């Protein structure tokens, strides 16, 4: 009885979590140029708008470029750091790990203001390196937590065995360690991609007319114009992140320990 | 590493005469790139914010004096804290039964329930906020239903604190469910029947046995939701109104609109200090809690 009541309650929560977002899908096929729900008629005009508008396409391209580069940098640096943290047994280890994870809890707006100020001086505002550096800072913690989780399940004797058979450190890493922690690395990399692809607050501050990512353009469009094209853009970004995250979910499926 | 001592000995022998001492510091090199990146593009910007707050436009504490002496600022701070508290309470009330159900269902159902909680995290906050804008507007479906069923409206939903809290709760709920569940999963299921065997009614058993044991999860989830809630920018900007600004929007406004770097950064330092203070206090009170409540491995 209690269980059934809990079930109904939880089902309602699931509906509240997931259904409201889906409203954006019918809106993107609205034939009327408004945000009124329910939409009137069916039309693909907003998608056509998106794919024929140079500024939207440029934003999409910038976003993909920044996200791929961020993924590469954050994953490389994050995996190295995780390996270092896993191998070290010194007292400041916890502190060091905490230092790398700190960007997860510091309010985005404070970091955004700081980066804006710093980038102003370094002339990095609205540049590709600027975006990649800023996004790497907030993506790397996710790589580190995922890779550290994988490393915890790794039997250190396997690496020792490899070394005893004559493999060097680099060879051992690529032929033993990396394949074993691959699910964690893949998941971390995909999380990094999505984090960068969806990042808004930092991007709003470091944008320039020459370089805007898709979320920045969506935000500007919502606050400054009333163009229903954003509904189509929202659906496209939503599909992108959901597909990437499904792959991440699939990659980690074989792992026993759930990652929160 | 006592259990691996034999294989370790073989490994050392196999590695030849190489000394083991350098192994101790070599892994440190692996940390260097991350350390440099985080120091240059995370710590340095935060230090920059602090320095600006006490030097812009001239050295001194005038920006902090402005912060505490301006009535509008106090109102914004109180509103931000109030909203974050309300959102934390709503998330706790919704997440607790959900997380509890996760501990008593089959593995398959539990995985499904976990998937439902993770799924919203896969969609950007911006897209979800956009969806709430459509739903909550005066001509939106919620007001449409209210008018059709009760003949009232349009009820102002968007551009209200209620709208902001609704959107924030939806986004932050997963951060409450996950730590709650991981804490509840550790509670021995025989304790509740044991309590009722000893004569406690379900309510007493819950409040004296189960609730105290789930406290680490409540703390972790609560702190995460609260501090994330304090710093929200996108949702208040799009679902709130300019009359009901929160701290983040005020910071943005001071810097981007009024070019008052000192005042904006002072607000930023204040927000950062609040976040740190809450984390430190809670990790003291809650011994089991880590500094990173949301990030559990």
């Amino acid at each position: 009885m209690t269980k059934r009541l809990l079930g109904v309650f939880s089902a309602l929560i699931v509906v509240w979590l997931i259904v409201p977002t889906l409203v954006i899908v019918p809106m993107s096929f609205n034939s009327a140029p408004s945000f009124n729900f329910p939409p009137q008629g069916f039309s693909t005009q907003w998608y056509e708008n998106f794919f024929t508008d140079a500024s939207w396409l440029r934003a999409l391209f910038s976003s993909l470029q920044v996200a791929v580069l961020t993924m590469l940098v954050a994953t490389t640096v994050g995996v190295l750091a995780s390996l270092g943290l896993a191998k070290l047994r010194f007292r400041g280890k916890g502190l060091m790990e905490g230092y790398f994870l700190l960007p997860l809890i510091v309010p985005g707006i404070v970091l955004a203001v700081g980066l804006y100020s710093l980038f102003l001086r370094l002339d990095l505002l609205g540049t590709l390196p600027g975006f990649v550096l800023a996004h790497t800072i907030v993506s790397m913690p996710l790589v580190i937590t995922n890779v550290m989780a994988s490393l915890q399940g790794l039997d250190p004797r396997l690496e020792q065995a490899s070394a005893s058979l004559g493999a060097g450190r680099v060879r051992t890493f690529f032929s033993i360690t990396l394949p074993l922690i691959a699910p964690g690395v893949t998941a971390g990399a995909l999380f990094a991609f999505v984090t960068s692809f969806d990042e808004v607050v930092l991007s709003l501050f470091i944008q320039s007319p020459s370089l805007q990512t898709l979320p920045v353009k969506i935000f500007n469009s919502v606050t400054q114009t009333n163009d229903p094209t954003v509904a189509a853009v929202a659906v496209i970004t939503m599909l992108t992140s959901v597909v990437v995250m499904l792959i991440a979910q699939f990659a980690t499926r074989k792992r026993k320990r759930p990652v929160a | 590493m006592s259990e691996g001592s034999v294989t370790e000995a073989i490994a050392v022998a196999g590695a030849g005469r190489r000394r083991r001492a350098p192994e101790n510091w070599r892994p440190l090199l692996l940390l260097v790139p991350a350390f440099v990146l985080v120091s240059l593009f995370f710590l340095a910007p935060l230090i920059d914010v602090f320095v600006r707050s006490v030097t812009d436009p001239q050295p001194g504490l005038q920006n902090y004096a402005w912060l505490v002496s301006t009535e509008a600022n106090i109102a914004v701070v109180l509103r931000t804290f109030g909203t974050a508290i309300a959102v934390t309470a709503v998330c706790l009330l919704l997440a607790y039964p959900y997380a509890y159900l996760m501990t008593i269902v089959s593995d398959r159902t539990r995985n499904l329930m976990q998937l439902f909680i993770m799924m919203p995290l896969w969609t950007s906050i911006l897209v979800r906020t956009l969806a709430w804008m459509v739903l909550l507007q005066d001509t939106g479906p919620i007001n449409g239903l209210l008018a059709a069923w009760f003949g009232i409206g349009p009820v102002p939903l968007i551009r209200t604190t209620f709208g902001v809290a609704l959107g924030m709760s939806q986004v932050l709920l997963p951060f409450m469910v996950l730590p709650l569940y991981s804490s509840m999963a550790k509670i021995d299921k025989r304790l509740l029947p044991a309590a009722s065997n000893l004569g406690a009614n379900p309510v007493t058993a819950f409040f004296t046995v189960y609730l105290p044991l789930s406290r680490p999860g409540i703390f972790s989830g609560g702190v995460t939701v609260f501090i994330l809630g304090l710093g929200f920018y996108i949702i208040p900007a799009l679902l709130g109104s300019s009359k009901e600004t929160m701290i983040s929007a005020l910071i943005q406004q001071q810097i981007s609109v009024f070019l008052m770097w000192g005042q904006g950064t002072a607000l930023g330092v204040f927000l950062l200090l609040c976040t740190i203070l809450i984390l430190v206090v809670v990790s003291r009170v809650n011994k089991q809690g880590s500094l990173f409540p949301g990030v559990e491995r």
Side-chain angles (χ1 to χ4, degrees):
Chain A
M1 174 58 202
T2 323
K3 199 170 166 181
R4 174 160 296 176
L5 212 66
L6 281 171
V8 173
F9 182 79
S10 301
L12 287 175
I13 289 179
V14 169
V15 169
W16 174 66
L17 277 178
I18 293 168
V19 174
T21 312
L22 299 177
V23 76
I24 213 72
V25 179
M27 296 311 296
S28 71
F29 292 106
N30 197 353
S31 59
S34 82
F35 280 112
N36 281 336
F37 191 90
Q40 299 143 6
F42 178 89
S43 152
T44 55
Q45 57 178 322
W46 310 119
Y47 289 90
E48 281 162 36
N49 257 10
F50 176 78
F51 286 108
T52 51
D53 182 328
S55 71
W56 278 114
L57 285 179
R58 203 166 50 231
L60 173 68
F61 180 70
S62 304
S63 265
L64 290 172
Q65 205 178 9
V66 169
V68 169
L69 287 173
T70 299
M71 179 177 79
L72 292 175
V73 176
T75 308
T76 311
V77 179
V79 167
L80 288 178
S82 312
L83 286 171
L85 287 172
K87 290 222 164 94
L88 282 174
R89 292 277 173 277
F90 71 103
R91 276 170 64 199
K93 184 183 153 174
L95 271 181
M96 189 62 91
E97 196 183 339
Y99 184 55
F100 294 154
L101 300 187
L102 222 49
L104 285 183
I105 48 151
V106 162
I109 190 84
V110 182
L111 182 58
V113 167
L115 280 172
Y116 178 48
S117 169
L118 187 74
F119 282 9
L120 261 177
R121 288 173 208 171
L122 300 178
D123 231 1
L124 280 171
L125 282 183
T127 63
L128 190 61
F131 269 95
V132 173
L133 287 168
H135 286 187
T136 297
I137 292 302
V138 288
S139 306
M140 202 168 57
L142 300 169
V143 176
I144 292 179
T145 47
N146 275 284
V147 177
M148 290 287 282
S150 279
L151 282 170
Q152 274 184 343
L154 184 73
D155 187 341
R157 284 171 298 187
L158 290 170
E159 289 181 336
Q160 289 159 3
S162 162
S164 75
L165 292 169
R169 256 190 221 90
V170 176
R171 173 112 190 251
T172 299
F173 173 74
F174 280 106
S175 53
I176 305 290
T177 318
L178 190 58
L180 286 170
I181 61 167
V185 176
T186 313
L190 296 172
F191 277 122
F193 180 90
V194 170
T195 305
S196 166
F197 193 71
D198 285 342
E199 209 291 321
V200 208
V201 181
L202 299 180
S203 307
L204 274 175
F205 273 81
I206 61 174
Q207 65 166 322
S208 78
S210 64
L211 185 55
Q212 288 182 338
T213 52
L214 207 47
V216 172
K217 183 118 168 73
I218 296 176
F219 187 87
N220 290 342
S221 173
V222 170
T223 48
Q224 287 154 22
T225 66
N226 223 3
D227 181 7
T229 308
V230 284
V233 188
V235 172
I236 291 166
T237 60
M238 187 160 83
L239 281 178
T240 309
S241 17
V242 168
V243 167
V244 174
M245 293 308 281
L246 276 175
I247 300 172
Q249 196 75 4
F250 190 73
T252 48
R253 175 151 277 184
K254 284 187 185 124
R255 199 163 56 196
K256 294 233 171 68
R257 200 170 309 178
V259 177
Chain B
M1 279 202 218
S2 54
E3 73 273 15
S5 53
V6 176
T7 36
E8 196 183 17
I10 296 170
V12 172
R17 294 247 157 71
R18 203 184 290 146
R19 296 245 166 178
R20 284 192 42 82
E23 300 264 75
N24 293 332
W25 63 267
R26 267 215 164 114
L28 264 177
L29 289 180
L30 297 169
L31 300 178
V32 170
F35 186 79
V36 170
L37 271 183
V38 176
S39 301
L40 286 182
F41 299 102
F42 174 73
L43 193 63
L46 294 187
I47 293 173
D48 197 291
V49 167
F50 176 75
V51 171
R52 277 209 185 228
S53 76
V54 288
T55 57
D56 198 303
Q58 70 250 17
L61 291 174
Q62 75 276 5
N63 293 317
Y64 293 92
W66 164 83
L67 201 167
V68 293
S69 65
T70 311
E71 231 168 89
N73 289 343
I74 308 295
V76 168
V77 168
L78 290 178
R79 185 179 307 122
T80 309
F81 272 81
T83 311
I85 290 170
V87 167
T88 309
V90 168
C91 283
L92 183 62
L93 288 176
L94 296 181
Y96 205 90
Y98 192 93
Y100 177 71
L101 186 66
M102 278 177 79
T103 65
I104 56 171
V105 291
S106 67
D107 283 355
R108 257 190 68 182
T109 317
R110 173 164 48 247
N111 286 338
L112 203 63
M113 286 181 79
Q114 180 153 13
L115 186 74
F116 284 140
I117 284 296
M118 302 294 278
M119 256 159 60
L121 297 177
W122 305 350
T123 312
S124 78
I125 290 184
L126 195 53
V127 172
R128 282 185 277 168
T129 312
L130 206 59
W132 280 119
M133 286 175 76
V134 172
L135 289 172
L136 297 179
Q137 63 185 327
D138 289 348
T139 53
I142 295 177
N143 264 316
L145 286 181
L146 286 177
W149 291 352
F150 306 106
I152 50 169
V155 178
L157 298 169
I158 198 167
R159 311 255 163 262
T160 63
T161 309
F162 171 79
V164 174
L166 188 67
M168 280 171 64
S169 306
Q170 190 211 22
V171 169
L172 290 170
L173 189 71
F175 296 96
M176 186 68 98
V177 171
L178 296 172
L180 264 184
Y181 166 70
S182 71
S183 148
M184 285 176 179
K186 289 183 199 125
I187 300 176
D188 192 329
K189 289 198 181 52
R190 292 167 302 184
L191 284 171
L192 280 181
S196 54
N197 273 349
L198 295 168
N201 65 43
V203 177
T204 318
F206 174 78
F207 280 104
T208 55
V209 179
Y210 200 85
L211 191 67
L213 286 171
S214 64
R215 216 182 59 181
I218 297 176
F219 269 114
S220 307
V223 172
T224 313
V225 170
F226 186 72
I227 61 176
L228 288 177
L230 280 185
F232 260 44
Y233 175 69
I234 299 297
I235 292 182
L238 295 181
L239 296 181
S241 76
S242 52
K243 279 181 297 179
E244 292 162 22
T245 334
M246 306 244 278
I247 294 180
S248 289
L250 190 59
I251 296 173
Q252 184 270 339
Q253 198 182 48
Q254 289 299 324
I255 290 172
S256 309
V257 183
F258 302 131
L259 302 175
M260 300 300 278
W261 276 91
Q263 299 183 354
T265 48
L267 284 162
V269 171
F270 171 75
L271 180 58
L272 192 58
L273 285 181
C274 291
T275 306
I276 295 169
L277 197 71
I278 292 159
L279 279 172
V280 169
V281 167
V282 171
S283 65
R284 281 281 158 80
V285 174
N286 185 29
K287 292 263 157 58
Q288 285 165 281
S290 72
L291 194 61
F292 299 97
V295 193
E296 274 175 299
R297 271 179 276 121

